[in-house]
Amino acid sequence: MTIATDIAYLAFNYEDVGRAENFYKDFGLVTSERTSEATYMRGADGQRYCFIARKGGRPGLACVGMRASNMDALRTAATLPGASAVETLQRPGGGYGVRMASPDGIPFELVYGIETVEPLPPLEPLKVNHGQHRPRKGVWQRPGLEHARALRLGHCALTTNNYAANAAWLESHFGMRPSDVLYDGSKDNALGGFFHCTGGEEWTDHHTIALFPGEPGPHHTSFEVQDFDSQFIANRYLTSRGWQPLWGVGRHVLGSQVFDYWFDPEGNVAEHFTDGDLVPPELQPEFHQVSDDSLAQWGPPMQVIDFIRRKGVST
Ligand SMILES: [Fe+2]
């Protein structure tokens, strides 16, 4: 089995890369570099890029990049059925990768050795006065209206009509395990799930890849922001810039993230999140009946069927 430590990047094909870049800059990413084929964008962490907007090709998701912790993982991955040999990545920052495809035919790459960069200066965490703990004395809470600063790529969600095959594939190819599983009627009728990585830190994101029921394809891409104010200000900023919201701001149930979702200019959905759950890699999954109540603890109303179809409400 090969083990992935985290998600590395997502690549999408665009008819108009410049307009996509404008959206993701407003969304909080920073342009890392442009080549004749693509624009590479980063968050504030030390990864050289986490989002690739490619020119041309069939519009939509082009690839999900997963990170390995060493070259041996890539050599092992190259022995899996349908996988490529270990290849040199022809992108800024170099590195090595193995190409493969999910049971639904979605291209994945397991990568290692991409050069890192200096992290961008961090935002100060929001200092909050709570009822019994009030550390903010004589300092005003007056953040200005500005785009978010995306810290990092957190996860992506995919839709599938074959949960079982894709769940097994995520485990066999990347060592991923479910944190929470969604079923309809009985537990042996699983329709979706939230998968965490097992190859990285002592604590890891509740989900790095999520599977939702639906026609095979991408559902959304999610980037972490610093705190609640960053989230709400970013929401207002994107509204002021005329971009189209899907849903939010609210707080999820499974994963607990505070969220909001937006359409990029070619209809792909991007999410900001903050305050997500961390889980130990050995976590055993919980099972949940799919219901509208499983989506959010608070926020604008949303039905599961509309969320899956990416038909939203934003107020
Ligand atoms: Fe998400």
Side-chain angles (χ1 to χ4, degrees):
M1 182 194 297
T2 53
I3 303 289
T5 57
D6 203 352
I7 193 167
Y9 52 81
L10 290 162
F12 282 80
N13 294 335
Y14 287 95
E15 293 179 353
D16 186 341
V17 168
R19 191 157 159 74
E21 181 182 359
N22 287 341
F23 170 81
Y24 284 97
K25 283 165 76 174
D26 283 350
F27 195 77
L29 297 179
V30 174
T31 302
S32 182
E33 38 216 311
R34 299 186 189 93
T35 69
S36 57
E37 290 89 29
T39 295
Y40 294 80
M41 305 190 77
R42 60 170 292 191
D45 66 0
Q47 302 303 330
R48 185 151 178 167
Y49 55 86
C50 65
F51 189 82
I52 307 171
R54 303 198 325 190
K55 296 177 183 173
R58 184 179 173 192
L61 180 62
C63 180
V64 180
M66 301 295 295
R67 195 180 315 284
S69 61
N70 55 55
M71 282 296 287
D72 282 345
L74 266 57
R75 294 187 191 101
T76 303
T79 67
L80 292 167
S84 74
V86 177
E87 300 170 336
T88 301
L89 297 176
Q90 303 298 319
R91 297 184 190 131
Y96 302 91
V98 174
R99 290 177 290 110
M100 54 193 88
S102 77
D104 286 344
I106 292 176
F108 276 71
E109 294 173 349
L110 185 68
V111 300
Y112 174 71
I114 300 171
E115 290 173 5
T116 55
V117 291
E118 278 296 310
L120 301 175
L123 277 179
E124 282 296 310
L126 196 66
K127 192 177 278 188
V128 176
N129 282 342
H130 295 285
Q132 285 76 36
H133 180 63
R134 294 183 286 181
R136 185 169 56 80
K137 295 180 172 71
V139 179
W140 318 140
Q141 204 79 292
R142 291 175 189 164
L145 182 64
E146 63 172 1
H147 64 74
R149 294 193 220 178
L151 303 177
R152 66 184 177 106
L153 171 62
H155 63 263
C156 77
L158 306 169
T159 45
T160 180
N161 287 320
N162 193 341
Y163 170 79
N166 283 274
W169 189 83
L170 289 176
E171 177 158 10
S172 63
H173 284 64
F174 302 122
M176 301 188 77
R177 296 284 300 152
S179 304
D180 287 296
V181 177
L182 298 165
Y183 67 86
D184 190 23
S186 63
K187 290 182 182 177
D188 59 3
N189 185 32
L191 301 178
F194 298 85
F195 292 78
H196 63 265
C197 289
T198 60
E201 306 295 325
E202 185 178 358
W203 294 92
T204 188
D205 290 332
H206 170 271
H207 56 278
T208 298
I209 292 182
L211 299 176
F212 299 154
E215 291 302 311
H219 185 272
H220 71 263
T221 302
S222 191
F223 300 89
E224 186 174 26
V225 296
Q226 180 75 297
D227 51 38
F228 294 173
D229 269 56
S230 296
Q231 182 98 35
F232 279 88
I233 291 168
N235 186 278
R236 190 172 165 201
Y237 181 78
L238 287 164
T239 300
S240 76
R241 297 284 290 165
W243 298 111
Q244 185 186 352
L246 167 61
W247 186 30
V249 178
R251 188 187 276 278
H252 280 307
V253 177
L254 305 176
S256 302
Q257 300 97 333
V258 176
F259 64 83
D260 64 339
Y261 294 87
W262 293 83
F263 289 101
D264 81 10
E266 297 192 15
N268 308 294
V269 171
E271 177 190 24
H272 284 136
F273 78 91
T274 191
D275 195 28
D277 291 341
L278 297 176
V279 301
E282 66 274 12
L283 180 78
Q284 293 302 306
E286 292 187 358
F287 288 74
H288 310 268
Q289 167 67 43
V290 175
S291 74
D292 295 342
D293 290 340
S294 67
L295 281 180
Q297 306 181 48
W298 54 260
M302 173 63 83
Q303 295 183 318
V304 169
I305 193 166
D306 287 338
F307 182 58
I308 297 301
R309 292 174 179 168
R310 306 192 302 178
K311 177 184 171 194
V313 283
S314 60
T315 56

